[in-house]
């Protein structure tokens, strides 16, 4: 993921400004409404000269803006700039029509991740493996059933038959991430332990929880859209002539 240096510098300034408890308290005080510096000083029991210092730091970082009162023009009101806070999050990923989750056997982690993505985002998702197994692991099917996810027990596939040029590919296992160095290269890597190595219900539940957390974290940063049903099929990295 490419991030502009200017964006990193701006975010660093905001983080630095929020690193002081007093400044964080001022931001909290302005979250739901505007206030004058005097009102901030009174609410936080802070000397006015110290409030002025902290407000200057917050203003320079782009977190707070000043405005003159329309009543008493001698009075200044401070307001929070929410867009500056939203800039603290990671920049969005490039738009993708579909997300494809890849693991080694396409029998557990990638299947669960794709099902979670579909349910939580209503977006298009698929899964594949570098060495697909003949069927989905029974414990993966069971954990999916417990969490109301839909998995096809026989629905495994190879990455070359699934991944298209415009997919966002996410490797959900270390082996797949390290093996895929050719045309099919993961954009993201989630180092989720293989639950089949332990082969207990608890291990599969732990993998499900890990994947669910990661889906929730990444989904807001994608601009994934459902592919146009009438659009021509993209070129695949096929193994077969």
């Amino acid at each position: 993921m490419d991030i502009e240096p200017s964006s990193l510098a701006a975010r660093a300034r905001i983080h630095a400004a929020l690193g002081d408890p007093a400044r964080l308290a001022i931001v909290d005080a302005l979250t739901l409404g505007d206030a004058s510096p005097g009102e901030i000083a009174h609410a936080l029991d802070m000397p006015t000269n110290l409030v002025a210092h902290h407000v200057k730091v917050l203003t320079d970082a782009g977190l707070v803006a000043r405005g003159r009162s329309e009543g008493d023009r001698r009075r200044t009101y401070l307001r929070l700039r929410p867009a500056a806070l939203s800039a603290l999050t990671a920049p969005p990923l490039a738009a993708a029509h579909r997300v494809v989750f890849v693991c080694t056997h396409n029998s557990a982690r990638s299947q669960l991740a794709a099902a979670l993505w579909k349910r939580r985002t209503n977006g298009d998702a698929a899964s594949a493996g570098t060495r697909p197994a003949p069927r989905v692991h029974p414990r993966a099917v069971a954990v999916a059933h417990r969490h109301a996810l839909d998995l096809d027990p026989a629905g495994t596939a190879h990455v070359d038959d699934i991944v298209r040029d415009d997919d966002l590919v996410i490797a959900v296992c270390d082996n797949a991430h390290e093996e895929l160095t050719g045309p099919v290269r993961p954009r993201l890597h989630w180092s989720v332990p293989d639950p089949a190595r332990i082969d207990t219900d608890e291990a599969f539940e732990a993998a499900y929880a890990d994947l669910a957390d990661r889906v929730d974290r990444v989904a807001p940063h994608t601009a994934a859209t459902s592919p146009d049903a009438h659009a021509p099929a993209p070129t695949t990295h096929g193994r077969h002539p």
Side-chain angles (χ1 to χ4, degrees):
M1 185 194 317
D2 294 330
I3 301 175
E4 290 293 331
S6 59
S7 171
L8 288 174
R11 289 165 61 198
R13 283 196 299 272
I14 295 172
H15 278 288
L18 294 174
D20 185 283
R23 291 195 285 271
L24 186 57
I26 293 172
V27 169
D28 286 344
L30 296 174
T31 298
L32 299 180
D34 304 341
S36 69
E39 290 169 337
I40 292 290
H42 177 74
L44 300 180
D45 192 21
M46 189 182 301
T48 55
N49 62 332
L50 191 55
V51 169
H53 165 71
H54 289 314
V55 166
K56 182 180 186 307
V57 174
L58 292 170
T59 301
D60 291 345
L63 282 161
V64 169
R66 300 169 180 266
R68 288 289 180 186
S69 166
E70 291 184 348
D72 184 346
R73 298 294 295 174
R74 296 169 298 178
R75 182 184 290 263
T76 297
Y77 285 111
L78 308 172
R79 62 181 176 85
L80 189 65
R81 299 180 65 192
L85 289 175
S86 65
L88 294 178
T89 61
L93 294 163
H97 289 294
R98 186 177 65 160
V99 179
V100 178
F101 296 93
V102 179
C103 64
T104 305
H105 300 302
N106 190 212
S107 63
R109 291 164 290 180
S110 55
Q111 295 277 352
L112 292 169
L116 276 162
W117 189 273
K118 289 177 184 177
R119 188 176 72 181
R120 298 196 177 187
T121 71
N122 292 318
D124 195 6
S127 68
T130 55
R131 297 190 296 276
R135 64 189 178 97
V136 178
H137 196 292
R139 291 190 192 276
V141 176
V143 75
H145 178 73
R146 287 194 292 273
H147 293 280
L149 297 178
D150 183 23
L151 289 190
D152 176 5
T156 63
H158 193 279
V159 290
D160 289 345
D161 298 326
I162 297 297
V163 175
R164 304 184 298 221
D165 292 336
D166 58 351
D167 288 331
L168 169 61
V169 179
I170 301 177
V172 293
C173 86
D174 297 339
N175 286 330
H177 174 65
E178 293 161 12
E179 290 175 10
L180 294 173
T181 59
V184 180
R185 179 68 180 166
R187 285 280 307 283
L188 297 176
H189 173 217
W190 298 351
S191 185
V192 180
D194 184 2
R197 290 180 180 272
I198 302 175
D199 203 13
T200 63
D201 287 344
E202 292 76 13
F204 278 81
E205 284 288 352
Y208 168 86
D210 191 352
L211 291 164
D213 176 67
R214 291 172 183 270
V215 166
D216 287 343
R217 276 188 282 147
V218 171
H221 300 288
T222 66
T225 56
S226 297
D228 186 345
H230 303 289
T235 302
T236 61
H237 303 287
R239 291 178 295 163
H240 310 297

